[in-house]
Amino acid sequence: MMASSYSAKDEDGHITVSGPGGGTLRNKKPENTAFKQQRLPAWQPILTAGTVLPAFFIIGLIFIPIGIGLYVTSNNIKEFEIDYTGDDTSSPCYNCAKNFSWNNTKSCTCTIPFQLDQPYESNVFMYYGLSNFYQNHRRYVKSRDDSQLNGNIDSLKKPSKECEPYASIDNKPIAPCGAIANSMFNDTLTLFYNDPNGTSVPIPLTSTGIAWWTDKHVKFRNPVGTNSNLTAVFQGTVKPVNWHRPVYELDTDPENNGFINEDFIVWMRTAALPTFRKLYRIIQKKNNMAPTLPRGNYTLVVDYNYPVRSFEGRKRMILSTISWMGGKNPFLGIAYITVGSVCFFLGVVLLVIHHKYGNRNNSANISN
Amino acid sequence: MFRKRPPPEEERRVRANDREYNEKFQYASNCIMTSKYNIITFLPVNLFEQFQEVANTYFLFLLILQLIPQISSLSWFTTIVPLALVLSITAVKDATDDYFRHKSDNQVNNRQSQVLIRGSLQNEKWMNVRVGDIIKLENNQFVAADLLLLSSTEPHGLCYIETAELDGETNMKVRQSVSVTSELGDPNNLASFDGEVVCEPPNNKLDRFSGTLYWREKKYSLTNQNMLLRGCVLRNTEACYGLVIFAGPDTKLMQNSGRTKFKRTSIDRLMNTLVLWIFGFLVCMGMILAVGNAGWEKEVGSLFQSYLAWDTPVNNFLFSAFLSFWSYVIILNTVVPISLYVSVEVIRLGHSYFINWDQQMFCSQCNTAAEARTTTLNEELGQVEYIFSDKTGTLTQNIMTFNKCSINGQSYGDLTDPLETQPKRLDFSPFNPLADPDFCFYDDKLLESVKVGDSCTHEFFRLLSLCHTVMSEEKSEGELVYKAQSPDEGALVTAARNFGFVFRSRTPGTITTTEMGRTVTYSLLAILDFNNIRKRMSVIVRNPEGRIRLYCKGADTVLLERLHPCNQEVMSITSDHLNEYAADGLRTLALAYRDLSEDEWEAWSESHRFADKATDCREDRLAAAYEEIEQNMMLLGATAIEDKLQEGVPETIAVLSLANIKIWVLTGDKQETAVNIGYSCKMLTDDMTEVFIISGHTVQSVRQELRRARERMIELSRTRDGVKEEGMQGWREPCFNGNGFKEGQEGGDTAGGSGGGVGKQLHGSPLPPPLPLSNLMDNISGEFAIVINGHSLAHALEADMEAEFVSTACACKAVICCRVTPLQKAQVVELIKKRKKAVTLAIGDGANDISMIKSAHIGVGISGQEGIQAVLASDYSFSQFRFLQRLLLVHGRWSYLRMCRFLCYFFYKNFAFTMVHFWFGFFCGFSAQTVYDQYFITLFNIVYTSLPVLAMGIFDQDVPDHRSLEYPKLYEPGQLNLLFNKREFFICIAQGIYTSVVLFFVPYAVLSNATQSNGVPLADYQTFAVTTATALVIVVSVQIVLDTGFWTVFNHVFVWGSLGSYFIIMFALHSQTLFRIFPNQFHFVGSAQSTLLQPVVWLTIALATAICIVPVLAFRFLKLDLKPQLSDTVRYTQLVRQKRRKPPGRNTGSAWRGTGSVSEGRLGARGGSRRSGYAFAHQEGFGELITSGKNMRLSSLALASFASRHSSSWIDTLRRKKHTHTPPSTSGECSPAPSFISVSVPPLSNSSSILGGSQETPIEEETVAAPAQNTQMIPASVTQTLPALAPDAEAPASQVSAQATSSGVLTPTASKSQGGDSPGGWTLSLGTVQEALFGWKVIASRASSSNSPGPTSIAKETNQIK
């Protein structure tokens, strides 16, 4: 290790140097190119009052109108939210929530009346919301088999070990496997309009078109076996533990059954945050004249299947209209207005500082 | 790997020609090994070395963690791919390096040498040479090992060696074998030689050897004079035989080379510290999150188990927390991405190429470009505080040129027209066929003077051609080669040769010259040799006419004391000239002669012989004898030799010291020489407050001298401070306002940076309150210099003196260490490294500089004349000292700047990237879920953000190159470590963390409630991931846009390309095609489209970007506006100038004019302290060698050719001279009638006049008296005011002097006709010369005071005299 630093080359050098005397000496002069001489033409921006201050004003002037626009748009969106968790004794779902047990075969139903103060024009979107539900937990997120969900027969029979401990029961593969699928939200929500004349009109809810196009058409596919019948294809698999029905009985519509059932797809798109909402149904606008949801009294009927009390979760039903920029989102508008104002204000402050203290040094040195 | 080491040697016993006997001692063989690995050990050793890097071990550890499924939060490939890449690249590089080391080892070890084995010479490889072998060396061969010289082909067992490789001294040295062995001549005798040498064990002392040779029951003591050391080259000796005493690693050369050190830059070290800190930070984060995980699993997770069961091995929250800790360590490891190290290397490599490519560091004469031999040190070039420079070959070219002379009070050699850039070189060839064509001289007055036969001039050159110890070699007629012991002597003899006094050859008793075309043989009666105390040498010769004359040359200080009193006038003029020369940094010698009568000579030679034969105190007696005769001499004049500095050395030193870099000169040369060079390269100036010389020989005296120097400094600086306080107000303004700006511009005038230096020091210590001594030393104001010699340095470097020495030396502006050994050079460097914690740079060109080059942080080798050993040991090499300023101020500065900017941005970027995970941890149950897609994590550092920052790290420039040379103060941030230090690091990290907060919480706030325009919520994990990732990439791109100050086309391509590649790669990874092939690998199918089509997402990204960037922008603007750095100001003015469309050439011009004026200042002399530049770089003893005839190669061939050329009776004369000591008769048979000589040689008399007839003496004295008075009247500062002379005053002055000279050297008749009214017109005209000479000085002083036009006053003066 303690190699002496003396390099044998040292002695050699002398000889090699004195050697090449008569030979044609290659001119070793470096090339005179802009690149090699570091003289590349270059733009050299510099932060001066002339560039920075206008930038602040421009940012301010752009952000404030955008913010106002966003804020107004957001305020025009109507949103109604109802919490039906039922941990309050006064809540209609209290009994259902309290008496829940996984073994119940018959679902408990509760009815929640509510009132809309304003008519909801255009399409109304119906969401369910969960709180304190950690769909973004690492073990939860990875607990799925995309290959199985994409209709791969091998994966259907032999789910990835990522799905553990929801991969198989008694050596029979679970379809769909994994914790995500296992915990699928399975409350059924229905809406009734209480006509002023006393009748209760069910509101038609569309259950398709609620998932991403790529999810529905690319990511999720039913396994294609020799048989086109889903029941046969899923032969040999078992339903997830918490499910009441196997995957091929989620819907009657073959285009919305099995892995491509949109409720399932929506659930499988895990949320980023523990409090989230997922699109449940769409209330299509009927005709141009009447609002989709007129003012008045409504009833929400819940088939209470999904327990959240154990982990202090909450369940909500949300009705919302939509604008070009999506649902109600006051934060964005306020943030834009704030940032815009701050920029503008900063611009003014910097301008003052610059005029009072800043200019001296630079102008003094220009003369040099 | 190693055999058991034998115990350290007490003494070494070597028996010649007896391998069996010597093998008992297991001496090292002559095989050297500098390589580190062999094929088998390479992999384990190299990997072991690589994993000693903290970073590599860290990544290995992470890799292992990732293989545990319960912990792994990322795929294993995110770590292993880059790690493997890094390891293999490094391994390949190491392997190549070692391969070349092997190759060169082999080459050296396999060199052939002739070894005497069993009575016959056999070729043997170097590595097979054993201790005790006798080897034969031939001319110009390298000495293979440390040898005891046994015999040589030269008479008396002499041989000549060049030790340049060893100690850097280029003059040849002579070695002599012990007399008994020198007779062993041929191989047969040597084969039977069985002497035994007992000597000291191997050591590194180059100039010492002590041992004893036992042979035939007799003892002979051995000294260094008998040794030939490895690394030397045999010169001028046909062949010689030597006994190997030390071989291979035991040789003094190898013992003198320090240990290999892997050099790291301070940024490297800082980076390693920071990586450790970050690691600590990482652990803290992990702990926080693990605690969070424990809490969450206990409070929430345990209840959530119906939906999310715990993993099988996990049964409680504590274990889960433990695993989560490691998971987070993996996720957060990207705060120190492995690409950091790779990128740093790439950037350094780029900078190295720029250094190699720099045309302005290319030397066209020697066709060498600068070379960065180490690619890992570039940014340290921007932080250098101390430069340790070798002298010979580094500052100087080691070429001595005869530059000026003063003959009998007349100075020659000044450029006739200083404004003319290319003065006309004198052509000697028509006048003198024997002239050396390489000789340069510009003043034709001198040649005129020789041609007209001025007796003083002739005598002057005659002295130069006689009084020396040079040997000549004349291969063919007229092709003379002088072998001078010191280049000084060579220069003087060559000068004499060109001016018509050609030294042809010498024998022990004669010197043959060709004087103005006539061959003259002088008989050499005695050589009064040089030594350090005498500082002079003399010869006593008898000319063909039989007159005996002593010629003496020596240091002015000693010589002027020994003149005859009647020399007063000439002496005062000459000593003025000497002062001028010395102030120009020339090495001066005074020349004198003395005529001896036959009686005087006889008497003295008797006493000399007596002294010579004395057994006790021979030295002293000889010295006394010499002293006796070297008296009452007549001054002939003085010579000034220029130790030619390399081009631009004073300018470079001035610029570097303006950049606050301290320059120490460490040289093996003598004190006088070193000091002289110190002056000529403006390290030492006469403006300096004091120059201390430390030359004590004992610890006590050195300590005392140091202490005294320190006390004196404090005292002087106190008085200065007192003065300065008054001038404070005046000083402060430029200091504060200019911020070094003004100093930079005016740097040219304040030669040596005195103005700048004072200003700065003042800035640093406005009012020193009473401080303890050590602090006081840091605040010394005033300019001091210290000169310390090797002996004292040895004491000063002892442990208990170190501190004292450092504090004293560092308070000085200039430090010169002379007579230092190679190892001492390294020790000094180590000392500063240790004590000052400053970045050091060592620059040198010889093998003696290797240890210094290796121990300094940065070693620079000058690829000059002295081989390329230093270059091979160095980190950077180029061929001119002046390139150092470009290397440091341009390349170093840029490298440092770029590296710092790179690191700042890099840490910022990775914290911004990684810390998002931390915040997300609070929302995902501390489960170590990543925010981004794993591909994004893998690619972020490698693809999406690496190239723009690399482009910045490679191409960025804050100010153009000529600006950083123009304002050396721009270099200071690097020395003070301002651009990247712990504070900057924390700022970067804080900014990164801030960005990560924004990047997480803005999308969080916006997306948690947002939906797509078709009602689908945006708060799903994949949308969130894509939004955050996009925002991150955009924010860091905007940040690099802000950071990049120099947008070349590469920056544009890389910045926009990286952004583009992000989107392209993302869309590709999220595409259906890839998903269809690997559905389990690409979960994010379709996320890109559905996310990036949403206006809300873009609004979110814009918002996050604005929140991240606006404060940064505001902060930077404020900093720039209120507290601009010098570089900002320079940049700004540059911009303004560009806008005004001034031609850039003007700026460059002014930059160089700034430094150029330094050199102008150099030409102008500043008068001052008398410094003797008597700088014979040789040792004493040569005179003795010559007179004893030992070194005469009287080979029959030479004699024959000599005899045939000259008259055949020459040998007879020679013999006669040898035997009788009588002068050869002046008969024409031995030489052609020396009519010319008899004319030119003054008559034999002791009269003081060198001007001619004694009857003219009174007049002469009278006329000369007047100027002498003038001299006294003129204040000593006259010479100082000279350079300040207005050109109009200078021109007439030189006119007058030229005119005077021409009249002065006219033949007597001519001058009589001119000044016919005077009886002694000859003398008068000479008086006029002197008058004129002084006259123009007077005018000079007057002109500077009154601005009166010159000519009138000259006329006045001349009239007065008449």
Side-chain angles (χ1 to χ4, degrees), chain A residues 185-255:
Chain A
F185 180 78
N186 56 2
D187 282 359
T188 311
L189 310 175
T190 38
L191 273 183
F192 293 92
Y193 174 59
N194 300 334
D195 219 333
N197 57 21
T199 52
S200 179
V201 186
I203 294 169
L205 303 172
T206 317
S207 63
T208 53
I210 57 175
W212 284 18
W213 185 90
T214 43
D215 283 359
K216 173 92 178 172
H217 296 99
V218 179
K219 199 171 180 183
F220 289 83
R221 281 197 310 201
N222 278 322
V224 186
T226 45
N227 204 321
S228 62
N229 187 355
L230 275 185
T231 321
V233 172
F234 282 105
Q235 196 68 48
T237 63
V238 293
K239 69 177 174 60
V241 197
N242 289 0
W243 284 25
H244 295 293
R245 285 171 295 177
V247 68
Y248 45 86
E249 286 173 18
L250 286 176
D251 203 334
T252 48
D253 180 6
E255 284 306 305

Side-chain angles (χ1 to χ4, degrees), chain B residues 530-692:
Chain B
F530 169 87
N531 75 23
N532 273 326
I533 302 147
R534 284 162 43 76
K535 294 187 176 174
R536 60 187 184 271
M537 73 162 289
S538 307
V539 292
I540 301 175
V541 293
R542 190 196 299 271
N543 73 1
E545 286 80 46
R547 270 173 300 130
I548 302 175
R549 190 166 268 198
L550 175 140
Y551 289 106
C552 180
K553 66 177 179 187
D556 46 6
T557 43
V558 287
L559 204 110
L560 296 186
E561 289 168 8
R562 290 172 173 72
L563 295 181
H564 193 270
C566 68
N567 280 288
Q568 202 57 47
E569 316 80 31
V570 186
M571 191 177 104
S572 65
I573 303 169
T574 307
S575 68
D576 280 341
H577 289 160
L578 281 168
N579 281 347
E580 269 174 55
Y581 300 157
D584 283 351
L586 302 173
R587 295 151 75 122
T588 56
L589 278 177
L591 312 181
Y593 72 93
R594 177 183 173 188
D595 286 320
L596 298 175
S597 67
E598 201 71 34
D599 299 340
E600 276 174 309
W601 158 246
E602 285 301 334
W604 182 80
S605 100
E606 191 59 38
S607 69
H608 177 233
R609 255 198 304 282
F610 179 71
D612 198 21
K613 286 190 179 130
T615 43
D616 55 330
C617 314
R618 178 172 169 266
E619 302 286 305
D620 295 343
R621 280 163 200 260
L622 271 179
Y626 292 164
E627 185 77 37
E628 188 192 319
I629 198 151
E630 285 165 336
Q631 294 293 347
N632 292 328
M633 292 183 289
M634 302 299 297
L635 184 63
L636 268 177
T639 61
I641 293 174
E642 189 181 356
D643 186 357
K644 252 197 152 28
L645 287 179
Q646 291 210 356
E647 217 177 304
V649 166
E651 293 87 335
T652 305
I653 286 180
V655 169
L656 290 178
S657 60
L658 273 179
N660 208 19
I661 299 172
K662 296 204 173 70
I663 300 169
W664 291 31
V665 172
L666 309 177
T667 173
D669 243 319
K670 294 186 341 181
Q671 184 175 314
E672 291 88 345
T673 324
V675 169
N676 228 317
I677 288 301
Y679 277 100
S680 62
C681 60
K682 299 290 172 233
M683 279 181 66
L684 305 177
T685 56
D686 289 317
D687 306 341
M688 291 199 140
T689 323
E690 198 156 332
V691 178
F692 302 104

Side-chain angles (χ1 to χ4, degrees), chain B residues 432-433 500 502 514-519 1232:
Chain B
N432 179 0
V502 189
T514 304
E515 292 183 355
M516 306 302 286
R518 286 179 182 78
T519 303

